[in-house]
Amino acid sequence: MEPGGLEWLLVPMQQLVSWGAAGAMMFGGVVPYIPQYRDIRRTQNAEGFSTYVCLVLLVANILRILFWFGRHFESPLLWQSIIMIITMLLMLKLCTEVRVSNELNVKRRSFAAADSKDEEIKAPPKRSYLDFDLNYFWHWSKFTDYVQCVLTFTGVTGYITYLWLDSSLFVETLGFLAVFTEAMLGVPQLYRNYQNRSTEGMSIKMVLMWTSGDTFKTVYFILNQAPFQFSICGLLQVFVDIAILLQVYLYSHYPQKPVSHTAHPASTKAL
C-alpha cells in the first residue's frame, strides 16, 4: 500500500485525538470533585474538605481568563476556566448549606452588610460594613456572600487589567499569578490534613484524580507549547498532589493524635 493511502485514516484519527485531548482539558478538571461532592451530599458533612480549595481555583481561573485578553492561548484552556468557576461555585453552595444546617446558634457572618433580623433578639446588631476580619474571611453563612466576593474580585482585577492591558510585563505577570495560584491548589488541603493529623473526610479518589489530571495537563502544556508559566506551575502542582498522597499513606499507616482546636475554633474551620 502506498504511504499516501493511509492519509484518509490518519487525518481523521489525529483530529479525533485532538478533540479528545481538548475535551479532557475542558472537563477533566471537574471530574475529581464529583466523588467529593457526592460524599458531602451523602454524609451531610463537609469538614474533611477545605473550601479554600474553591477560593484558590476561583482566583486562579478568573486571573487566567483575564490573562487570555492580553495573550490569547488555546480555547480549551479558556473554557476549562469557565467550567471550573461554575463547578467551584456549586461546591461552595453545597458546603455552605451543609455547614449552616449542622451548626446551631452560630453568629451569622457575611461578606457585605446584611439584614440582621435573625440576630437582633439574640445578639447585638451586626456591623454595617464589610466583614473583612481575617478570622472569618471565607467562613460566611450564605452562599450569596461568596458570590458577592467573587464578583467584587472579578470587577477590581478586570478594571486593573483593562488599564494595564498594553503592558507586556503586566500581562506576563498576570499569567504567572494565574497558574502559580492554581499550582497552590492542594496546599489548603495539605495544611488541613496536617492540622487534623488525618485525611479522614477527604476523598482520596479526588486526590488521585488531581494527580492524574495535573500530570496530563502538564504534558499537554509542554506538547502544545503553552506559555512557559503553565508548564512550570503544572509541575509544581503535581509535586503538591504527591505530597497529599504521602499524607494519606502516613496517616493511615501511622495514625497520630489529632491536634486540639479548642483555643481557636473559628480560624481553623474549613468552611
Side-chain angles (χ1 to χ4, degrees):
M1 183 180 291
E2 296 181 2
L6 292 176
E7 288 184 3
W8 68 273
L9 179 62
L10 291 178
V11 172
M13 287 295 293
Q14 290 175 347
Q15 189 66 49
L16 285 175
V17 171
S18 177
W19 288 345
M25 280 303 301
M26 288 189 291
F27 297 100
V30 174
V31 174
Y33 299 95
I34 295 176
Q36 183 71 71
Y37 186 93
R38 293 178 64 184
D39 286 347
I40 293 173
R41 179 172 288 278
R42 176 176 55 83
T43 63
Q44 288 297 295
N45 184 354
E47 285 300 315
F49 176 72
S50 173
T51 52
Y52 282 112
V53 168
C54 300
L55 174 61
V56 169
L57 277 176
L58 285 168
V59 170
N61 285 283
I62 290 169
L63 293 180
R64 187 196 285 185
I65 291 173
L66 294 176
F67 176 52
W68 181 85
F69 287 99
R71 182 177 174 183
H72 288 192
F73 45 80
E74 289 195 334
S75 296
L77 297 179
L78 177 64
W79 280 105
Q80 181 199 42
S81 293
I82 295 172
I83 293 169
M84 184 59 72
I85 288 173
I86 295 171
T87 302
M88 289 302 100
L89 290 175
L90 291 174
M91 286 292 296
L92 274 176
K93 186 175 187 297
L94 175 64
C95 291
T96 305
E97 291 173 351
V98 168
R99 180 181 64 83
V100 172
S101 66
N102 289 339
E103 294 184 355
L104 302 176
N105 299 322
V106 174
K107 183 176 180 181
R108 299 188 71 84
R109 296 288 173 178
S110 60
F111 170 72
D115 183 4
S116 59
K117 274 191 221 175
D118 296 338
E119 293 185 296
E120 55 189 12
I121 297 176
K122 303 177 185 178
K126 289 173 63 67
R127 292 177 295 180
S128 59
Y129 51 86
L130 299 185
D131 189 355
F132 282 127
D133 186 338
L134 290 180
N135 289 328
Y136 300 103
F137 179 80
W138 212 249
H139 301 302
W140 302 310
S141 305
K142 291 183 179 179
F143 172 66
T144 52
D145 290 304
Y146 294 95
V147 174
Q148 289 173 11
C149 180
V150 170
L151 291 176
T152 300
F153 176 78
T154 303
V156 172
T157 53
Y159 181 68
I160 294 173
T161 301
Y162 173 76
L163 294 178
W164 291 87
L165 201 57
D166 294 333
S167 169
S168 59
L169 176 61
F170 173 83
V171 171
E172 293 301 323
T173 302
L174 183 65
F176 174 77
L177 288 176
V179 290
F180 181 75
T181 303
E182 186 174 359
M184 295 294 101
L185 165 64
V187 173
Q189 191 66 57
L190 187 75
Y191 179 65
R192 180 161 185 80
N193 295 341
Y194 172 75
Q195 275 189 317
N196 295 341
R197 298 293 193 271
S198 169
T199 56
E200 184 179 356
M202 181 195 73
S203 173
I204 298 176
K205 291 180 182 178
M206 178 185 72
V207 181
L208 288 172
M209 290 178 182
W210 273 357
T211 308
S212 58
D214 292 338
T215 302
F216 169 82
K217 182 172 60 178
T218 303
V219 172
Y220 181 91
F221 290 157
I222 295 172
L223 293 180
N224 287 274
Q225 298 181 338
F228 76 96
Q229 302 102 317
F230 285 51
S231 301
I232 294 174
C233 293
L235 290 171
L236 178 59
Q237 199 166 355
V238 172
F239 290 142
V240 174
D241 295 340
I242 293 173
I244 296 177
L245 290 175
L246 286 175
Q247 284 184 324
V248 174
Y249 173 80
L250 290 174
Y251 294 148
S252 60
H253 287 76
Y254 306 98
Q256 301 182 38
K257 184 178 179 180
V259 176
S260 173
H261 301 294
T262 54
H264 46 291
S267 62
T268 58
K269 287 184 180 294
L271 296 170

